[in-house]
Amino acid sequence: MAAKPPAPGREELRATLKKSRGLFRVVLLFSIFANILVLTGPLFMLQVYDRVLASRSEATLVALFALVAVLYAIMGVLDYSRGRILGRVGARFQSMLDRRVFDALLRRSVDPNFRNRPATGLRDLESIQRLLSSPALFAFYDLPWTPVFLFAIFLFHPLLGWMAVAGGVVLIIATVLNQVLSKTPQRESLQASGQAEAFAEAVRRDAEVVQTLGMRGAVLGRWRQQRDVALATSIKAADVSGSFSTFSKTWRLFLQSGMLALAAYLVLQGELTPGAMIAGSILLGRALAPIEQAIAQWSLVQRARQGWTSLTQLLEATPEEEEKTELPRPKAMLDVAGLTVVPPGEKVPTLKAVSFRVGPGMALGVIGQSASGKSTLARAITGIWPAVQGKVRLDGAALEQFSSEVLGQHIGYLPQDVSLFDASVADNIARLSPNPDPAKIVEAAKKAGAHEMILKLPEGYDTRIQSGGSRLSGGQRQRLGLARALYGSPVLLVLDEPNANLDNEGSNAMNASIEQMKANGGSVIIMAHRPAAIAQCELLLVMENGMVKDFGKRDDVLRNNVKNHEKLAANPEQPAKIATQRAPAIASDQAKPAASVALGQVPPAKAPNVERKS
Ligand SMILES: Nc1ncnc2c1ncn2[C@@H]1O[C@H](COP(=O)(O)OP(=O)(O)O)[C@@H](O)[C@H]1O
Ligand SMILES: [Mg+2]
C-alpha cells in the first residue's frame, strides 16, 4: 500500500526525519548503555574507598581495575558509534531534502519579491544537518538520565540530593533565560548578514555600472551599514550566550566543590562513607553535564530551530509538483480567453481580460507602448506567471495540465533580457540537458542564424560562456537565446522584443526562422518594438494598459491604429505612430508633422499631437 505523501512544510520535514527512525533508535539504545556505563566511575570510587582501602586487598583492586578498563573501552566504542551514526543521520537528512529545497527555491524565485530577498533555504537545511551531527544532540539523549543520577545521589544522602536538584534547577533557569534573551539578536544578526550578502551579490553583478557611475563609495557605505548591523547584533547574541555558558560552567564547578564540602561535613558527622562522598560528586558532574552542554551549544540549537521554521514556510509555499498525465505533443493552437494576470506578490493586474487565438502556421505580433503588458503576456503564455482569471490553452489543454518540464519542451521562449548560464555554448543551447543531442544543437543554431557566429567564437560550440554571458555582445546573446528557444523544435515560439539588439543580418535570420516555424505548422508570437519584427505576422494585437485595444488581421489593425501605416508597409524600419482613440483630434496637428512615437516608447497619452483615427 503506497503511503499518502506528506503535506508540504512541517509534515514533510518530519517525514524525512522519520525515515531515520531506525538509526535514532539505535542511538537511543547506545545512549542507554553508555549512560549506564557512566556509573562505572562512581561505583569504582565507592569500591576502592570503602572496600579496597578498608580490606587492604590488592587482588580486589587489580580485579576491579581490569573490569573498569573493559567497561570504559565499551563506553568509548558506544559513544564513538553514536557520534558516527548521528553524523550520517544529519548528512542523510540533508541529502534527502537538498534537491527538493533547491527546486522550491528556484520555483519561488519566479516571484520577483522573493528573488530580491536573501534565499536562505540551503543554509537553513545545513543548520539542521549541523545540529543533527553535533554533540548538542547527544545532550538531548543524555538529559533523561539526569534524574536517574540525581536519584542515585539521593540514595547516598537526601541532603546531597536536594543540593544537586537545586543546582540543576539554577542551570535549567539559565538555559531558558539564554534562549529567551539571545533569540532576537540572533535572528536579527542572521537577517542583516543575509541582506548584506544579497546586496553584495547584486552589486558585484553590476560591477561595471558601479565603476562607471562612480558609485563605489556609496555602495561600500551601504554595504558597511548592513554588515555593521550584522556584527553588532551577532556580538550581542554571542555576549548573551557566552555569559550564560560561562555562568553554567563556573556554577557547575562551584556546585561540585560545594557538594564535596557538604559531603565531607556529613562524613565528619558519620552519616556518609568517604567513598560515597567522592562518588556523589562525580555523579553530580555527570547529571549536570548534558544541561551544560546544551547551553554551550545553544546557538546551534537556535539556528536549527530558525532554519526549521523558515524551511517549513518555504516548502509550504511551494508544494512538490504533482505528477501529470503526459499529453501527446500539442498542435500549435493557442487559445487565450479572458486572461487576467497579477504579477506574483502584487495586487493590481497588469493584464486584464485578454482574449485571442493563434492557429498553426500563423504568427502574431503584439505591439503596444512600454509597460502596456507585452512582457506580462509573454510570461503568462509561457506559464511563468499564473492566470488569476481566464485560461491559456495549448491545443485545448490548459497550461496547468502540462508539467512545467514538458511545457518547456513545447514552448520556446526568448525573454526580453537574455542571460546565459556558466556552461559551453552547446550546453546553453541544449538548455543544460544532461544528454544533449549535438545534431539538434547545430540545427537550432542554424535556424536561429547563429551557426556562423558560433563557429567564429574561440572554441566554437565548446566556448565556455562566463556567467551571464558578459563576454558576448547583446546581439550574440540574443541569437544564442533564440537558438536555445528553438532547441527541440517547440510548437509555439514566444519572442519578447527579439529585435532590440539585432543588426540587419540578425533580423533577417530571425525572420527566416519565424518563416520556418510557420512552414512546419508551428505558431509564433512576437512582442514587438520595431515594426520590422512584425513583417512575418499575419495577425496583430495592440495592447494598451494591460488590455487588448485591437486584434485582427495585421493590415486591418495597422490601418485602424497606426497613422503612418502606408509608409510603414514600404519601409518597416520606420517607427510606427499609434493612434490613441482617447486623444482629441486637433485640426492644426495634421499640418504639423506629428511627433513620431516608436512602438514601445511612452507617448504622451493624451497629447494633442496624436490624431484620432476612426
Ligand atoms: N516583475 C514585476 N512585478 C510587478 N510588476 C511588474 C513586473 N513586471 C512588470 N510589471 C508591471 O506590469 C506592467 C506591464 O509591464 P510589462 O509587461 O513589462 O510591459 P511591456 O513589456 O509592454 O513594456 C507595468 O506596469 C510593470 O510595472
Ligand atoms: Mg517588455
Side-chain angles (χ1 to χ4, degrees):
M1 191 183 88
K4 204 170 97 216
R10 191 185 311 277
E11 281 292 306
E12 213 176 342
L13 294 179
R14 285 201 182 139
T16 312
L17 268 188
K18 271 196 193 148
K19 287 193 185 141
S20 298
R21 204 163 21 185
L23 290 175
F24 281 122
R25 286 202 186 126
V26 172
V27 171
L28 181 66
L29 199 69
F30 282 15
S31 298
I32 290 173
F33 284 113
N35 275 290
I36 291 175
L37 289 173
V38 161
L39 295 172
T40 306
L43 285 177
F44 180 58
M45 203 74 72
L46 211 58
Q47 297 303 313
V48 169
Y49 266 90
D50 297 345
R51 189 161 298 169
V52 174
L53 293 185
S55 69
R56 308 193 66 81
S57 155
E58 283 175 25
T60 313
L61 180 62
V62 171
L64 277 176
F65 184 65
L67 184 65
V68 163
V70 172
L71 291 178
Y72 271 135
I74 295 176
M75 193 171 99
V77 170
L78 287 176
D79 216 33
Y80 171 73
S81 311
R82 66 177 186 163
R84 277 184 65 112
I85 293 174
L86 284 182
R88 276 150 187 77
V89 167
R92 188 169 167 209
F93 180 77
Q94 182 179 328
S95 93
M96 278 195 285
L97 282 171
D98 250 347
R99 195 193 132 92
R100 164 80 173 102
V101 171
F102 189 56
D103 188 43
L105 274 180
L106 266 183
R107 279 163 49 214
R108 201 82 168 85
S109 298
V110 170
D111 177 343
N113 294 307
F114 188 85
R115 191 168 38 208
N116 295 330
R117 284 208 308 266
T120 56
L122 293 175
R123 258 178 292 150
D124 292 334
L125 187 56
E126 270 171 30
S127 70
I128 301 173
Q129 175 263 326
R130 227 168 284 149
L131 175 67
L132 285 175
S133 315
S134 80
L137 204 68
F138 286 5
F140 292 113
Y141 274 103
D142 294 341
L143 218 47
W145 289 84
T146 296
V148 176
F149 295 150
L150 289 179
F151 178 71
I153 297 175
F154 267 102
L155 289 186
F156 290 140
H157 199 285
L159 264 185
L160 290 181
W162 285 119
M163 186 168 180
V165 168
V169 167
V170 169
L171 275 187
I172 288 171
I173 292 175
T175 314
V176 174
L177 272 183
N178 183 13
Q179 151 73 8
V180 171
L181 293 180
S182 63
K183 192 172 159 190
T184 317
Q186 216 194 12
R187 200 189 42 227
E188 281 170 0
S189 152
L190 206 67
Q191 236 167 20
S193 73
Q195 268 167 4
E197 211 172 291
F199 181 69
E201 233 350 82
V203 168
R204 245 163 33 83
R205 259 198 309 272
D206 275 324
E208 270 179 29
V209 176
V210 171
Q211 189 87 1
T212 11
L213 297 187
M215 291 162 64
R216 244 173 50 226
V219 159
L220 283 176
R222 257 170 196 256
W223 176 74
R224 267 295 294 276
Q225 249 176 11
Q226 288 166 335
R227 288 278 281 187
D228 286 348
V229 172
L231 260 185
T233 43
S234 123
I235 287 177
K236 220 197 281 177
D239 276 352
V240 173
S241 293
S243 54
F244 278 102
S245 174
T246 311
F247 170 76
S248 64
K249 203 162 80 191
T250 321
W251 176 249
R252 186 166 69 105
L253 288 174
F254 171 72
L255 203 63
Q256 229 162 341
S257 297
M259 256 229 349
L260 202 64
L262 179 61
Y265 174 77
L266 292 174
V267 172
L268 292 181
Q269 302 300 308
E271 290 187 34
L272 201 69
T273 63
M277 174 181 82
I278 304 287
S281 169
I282 295 180
L283 267 181
L284 177 73
R286 284 305 304 204
L288 301 185
I291 305 181
E292 190 193 316
Q293 195 162 39
I295 295 180
Q297 307 265 336
W298 201 251
S299 61
L300 221 57
V301 176
Q302 213 157 37
R303 179 67 190 88
R305 276 172 55 128
Q306 279 159 0
W308 183 276
T309 312
S310 99
L311 263 191
T312 303
Q313 287 162 354
L314 173 72
L315 296 183
E316 233 162 49
T318 29
E320 201 137 31
E321 254 186 16
E322 285 163 42
E323 293 256 335
K324 289 170 183 163
T325 310
E326 195 156 337
L327 296 166
R329 184 179 159 86
K331 283 198 216 51
M333 270 292 300
L334 182 76
D335 181 5
V336 175
L339 178 66
T340 299
V341 172
V342 179
E346 299 288 316
K347 291 192 179 66
V348 189
T350 52
L351 272 191
K352 284 162 261 177
V354 170
S355 300
F356 64 88
R357 292 177 106 157
V358 186
M362 298 243 235
L364 164 74
V366 179
I367 60 174
Q369 297 156 5
S370 218
S372 58
K374 303 184 296 294
S375 294
T376 308
L377 181 60
R379 292 192 182 103
I381 295 172
T382 48
I384 307 173
W385 285 359
V388 292
Q389 250 172 39
K391 280 265 182 278
V392 179
R393 289 194 185 83
L394 188 59
D395 196 10
L399 290 190
E400 307 87 74
Q401 292 177 18
F402 297 91
S403 79
S404 56
E405 292 280 308
V406 171
L407 193 63
Q409 290 164 15
H410 298 322
I411 301 183
Y413 173 48
L414 176 66
Q416 195 166 350
D417 297 309
V418 179
S419 63
L420 300 164
F421 298 102
D422 193 347
S424 71
V425 167
D427 285 343
N428 265 288
I429 294 177
R431 305 175 180 187
L432 302 183
S433 158
N435 35 9
D437 180 344
K440 278 195 198 167
I441 293 173
V442 175
E443 184 192 331
K446 280 188 174 157
K447 276 191 205 160
H451 181 65
E452 272 78 33
M453 173 210 97
I454 294 170
L455 293 183
K456 280 189 210 137
L457 292 174
E459 286 165 73
Y461 279 89
D462 299 317
T463 310
R464 211 178 163 80
I465 296 177
Q466 273 139 17
S467 64
S470 49
R471 223 169 64 181
L472 302 172
S473 78
Q476 283 176 317
R477 239 178 297 159
Q478 204 133 26
R479 282 206 228 173
L480 288 186
L482 180 60
R484 178 176 69 184
L486 289 168
Y487 179 79
S489 312
V491 292
L492 174 66
L493 192 59
V494 179
L495 310 173
D496 195 353
E497 312 221 354
N499 292 53
N501 288 310
L502 290 183
D503 50 14
N504 264 342
E505 192 197 340
S507 281
N508 292 340
M510 166 114 18
N511 288 345
S513 57
I514 295 171
E515 273 306 312
Q516 202 172 13
M517 271 294 288
K518 294 200 296 189
N520 292 340
S523 56
V524 185
I525 297 179
I526 309 160
M527 318 296 156
H529 183 78
R530 277 186 298 170
I534 56 171
Q536 255 65 29
C537 300
E538 12 323 268
L539 296 170
L540 202 56
L541 180 103
V542 184
M543 296 285 304
E544 193 177 73
N545 291 325
M547 286 182 284
V548 176
K549 183 168 172 236
D550 201 356
F551 169 63
K553 291 215 182 83
R554 180 188 63 187
D555 294 331
D556 298 344
V557 173
L558 276 181
R559 202 172 310 121
N560 292 337
N561 293 278
V562 179
K563 295 193 306 177
N564 57 343
H565 60 95
E566 281 118 0
K567 277 188 258 162
L568 211 59
N571 177 13
E573 282 300 323
Q574 181 173 343
K577 297 167 193 163
I578 297 188
T580 307
Q581 274 154 354
R582 287 169 302 165
I586 293 178
S588 66
D589 262 31
Q590 263 139 10
K592 274 195 269 168
S596 58
V597 176
L599 295 176
Q601 283 162 11
V602 189
K606 289 187 179 169
N609 59 357
V610 180
E611 68 176 352
R612 179 192 305 198
K613 277 272 162 186
S614 48

